[in-house]
Amino acid sequence: MASTTAIAALTLHCFSKSNTLSPFRTLPRLTCSFSSSIKFNISFAPPNPKPKPNPKPTPEPQTDAPNEPDGPLLIPWIVRGEDGNLRLQSEPPPSFLKAMATAQTGTKKDKNQTKTTATSKAQKPRATAPPQHSKAARRFYNENIRSSSAARLSKVLAASGVASRRSCEELIFEGKVTVNGSVCNTPQTRVDPAKDVIYVNGNRLPKRQPKKVYLALNKPKGYICSSGENESKSVISLFDDYLKNWSKKHAGVPLPRLFTVGRLDVATTGLIIVTNDGDFAQKLSHPSSNLAKEYIATVDGLVHKRHLIAISEGTTIDGVHCVPDVVELLPRQPDMQRARLRIVVHEGRKHEVRELVKNAGLEIHSLKRVRIGGFRLPPDLG
């Protein structure tokens, strides 16, 4: 039989400076059991539960976990005071409480707001007053930078009326052009007639360039589109009276060198543009512009449906199959006995309209061009 011995609970006391006894801690009851195998089973008795209004079954106490002491657990805080000395206190410092409150109320939101504010301030344009320049600085800019008209030498010579651009290049290659006292053999040399001294065959080129001129001409029959001086029936010869009165209207400005934009054959009449602007002529006549050209063809004989179909199917010119954009039979006018066809093309090849009509089995009596792109021949132009 195993014998059991109960050991009474002990109370430990400590003496204070005033020689008074004060309880420090109470140990729970210890129970020891002895058996024949000499094993000890030590357990701590739980404290007496306090009475509750609605008692609930309490779980069995755990033998491994010690009981907590009575009363709240106080954590001392070591804080440095205003005098610089460390001291103990039972409450956390205000700085710690403030930091905890800030962390709980959303520190991330404040950071985002700070970033947003910083970004908005960075993106906000800074208001600056417009720069103020002196009158002399503006004059220097306008005379030396803004109004600079430097261009290729061959282009400047052609625009000044010396000759065509190809003829001007030949003059440059032959050494008949000098720039600032030196012979220039390169047509691509950039010059400014207002600043550079240019001589051609011993004659100085005027400083001022002629104004840009754009003229619409109703070309009569029998004139050729050539700018040769020996051609008496040239289209340019029709502007002799206009050029004679040039000096009266434009004093001190050299005569413009006029040329035609594209060509019309001798027998064709109608709209042709005359100018001295090479860039404008290049844009207007280049195939990449794809400008439509409208013609009125007066034909001999009767026009049937098969003729219109044959013209609309196109024909081959210089190895290229050309098809018109529009083919239309115009209503017959009472004062005209011949039929009229309205033909619109965009290729602009040589004798294209005449070849289209001829391929259809018709013969052209007269041909007149009335439109080039957005430029139309005025009906009242003689």
Side-chain angles (χ1 to χ4, degrees):
M1 296 296 293
S3 61
T4 304
T5 304
I7 302 175
L10 301 178
T11 302
L12 300 180
H13 297 79
C14 65
F15 289 93
S16 63
K17 293 181 180 181
S18 58
N19 298 327
T20 58
L21 296 177
S22 60
F24 181 74
R25 185 170 183 180
T26 303
L27 294 179
R29 170 181 290 183
L30 300 178
T31 304
C32 300
S33 60
F34 299 94
S35 61
S36 59
S37 59
I38 314 176
K39 293 182 180 180
F40 296 92
N41 183 12
I42 303 174
S43 61
F44 295 92
N48 296 328
K50 298 181 181 180
K52 295 182 180 180
N54 295 325
K56 294 182 180 180
T58 57
E60 297 181 357
Q62 298 180 0
T63 57
D64 297 336
N67 296 328
E68 296 182 356
D70 297 337
L73 181 63
L74 299 179
I75 301 177
W77 294 88
I78 302 176
V79 183
R80 187 179 297 276
E82 297 180 358
D83 54 356
N85 298 326
L86 297 175
R87 59 187 178 85
L88 289 174
Q89 65 179 28
S90 60
E91 296 180 358
S95 59
F96 177 79
L97 296 176
K98 185 177 180 180
M100 293 295 294
T102 304
Q104 294 178 0
T105 54
T107 307
K108 296 182 180 180
K109 183 178 180 181
D110 298 338
K111 290 183 179 179
N112 295 335
Q113 291 179 356
T114 305
K115 291 182 180 180
T116 307
T117 306
T119 307
S120 61
K121 290 182 179 179
Q123 294 179 355
K124 186 177 180 180
R126 188 176 182 181
T128 56
Q132 300 294 334
H133 302 285
S134 63
K135 195 173 183 179
R138 293 196 300 269
R139 186 187 302 110
F140 177 84
Y141 173 80
N142 294 332
E143 292 178 357
N144 297 275
I145 300 177
R146 183 176 180 180
S147 61
S148 178
S149 57
R152 297 189 302 273
L153 179 59
S154 59
K155 183 178 180 180
V156 171
L157 297 181
S160 300
V162 175
S164 64
R165 190 170 297 185
R166 293 183 180 178
S167 300
C168 290
E169 291 179 354
E170 294 177 0
L171 293 175
I172 295 172
F173 290 139
E174 292 174 1
K176 297 181 179 181
V177 180
T178 61
V179 179
N180 298 326
S182 302
V183 178
C184 183
N185 296 322
T186 307
Q188 293 79 15
T189 303
R190 308 286 293 186
V191 296
D192 186 358
K195 302 176 184 178
D196 301 322
V197 180
I198 305 172
Y199 278 87
V200 181
N201 290 328
N203 300 322
R204 182 174 179 178
L205 200 72
K207 292 184 177 181
R208 300 182 62 181
Q209 292 288 303
K211 296 182 178 180
K212 301 297 182 181
V213 179
Y214 309 92
L215 302 169
L217 174 68
N218 187 2
K219 175 187 170 300
K221 189 176 182 179
Y223 284 79
I224 62 175
C225 298
S226 175
S227 58
E229 297 179 356
N230 299 328
E231 300 291 345
S232 58
K233 299 284 288 185
S234 173
V235 169
I236 304 302
S237 64
L238 298 173
F239 295 91
D240 290 343
D241 295 338
Y242 173 78
L243 296 178
K244 287 180 181 179
N245 298 326
W246 177 268
S247 58
K248 297 180 181 179
K249 298 181 180 180
H250 309 281
V253 180
L255 291 175
R257 179 188 170 274
L258 301 178
F259 53 88
T260 61
V261 180
R263 295 192 176 189
L264 290 176
D265 55 45
V266 180
T268 304
T269 63
L271 176 64
I272 189 168
I273 297 177
V274 180
T275 182
N276 64 337
D277 189 349
D279 296 334
F280 170 77
Q282 177 69 12
K283 292 179 181 179
L284 205 64
S285 59
H286 199 271
S288 61
S289 60
N290 201 23
L291 293 178
K293 302 174 181 63
E294 182 178 344
Y295 294 83
I296 302 298
T298 304
V299 298
D300 295 330
L302 299 177
V303 179
H304 300 283
K305 185 177 181 180
R306 56 184 176 86
H307 296 127
L308 300 178
I309 295 175
I311 296 175
S312 61
E313 289 178 352
T315 184
T316 302
I317 302 175
D318 297 335
V320 179
H321 187 71
C322 301
V323 180
D325 297 339
V326 178
V327 179
E328 180 184 3
L329 178 62
L330 298 177
R332 186 181 297 272
Q333 294 183 352
D335 56 343
M336 296 186 63
Q337 298 179 357
R338 293 181 175 87
R340 297 183 304 151
L341 297 175
R342 174 176 171 266
I343 303 176
V344 180
V345 297
H346 65 274
E347 291 287 343
R349 295 189 175 273
K350 185 177 180 179
H351 305 305
E352 181 177 357
V353 177
R354 293 182 180 274
E355 292 294 332
L356 289 171
V357 176
K358 181 181 178 181
N359 183 64
L362 296 175
E363 184 178 355
I364 289 183
H365 178 265
S366 62
L367 184 62
K368 183 177 183 179
R369 184 166 65 183
V370 296
R371 181 172 64 90
I372 302 176
F375 303 97
R376 182 174 291 273
L377 183 68
D380 57 347
L381 184 63

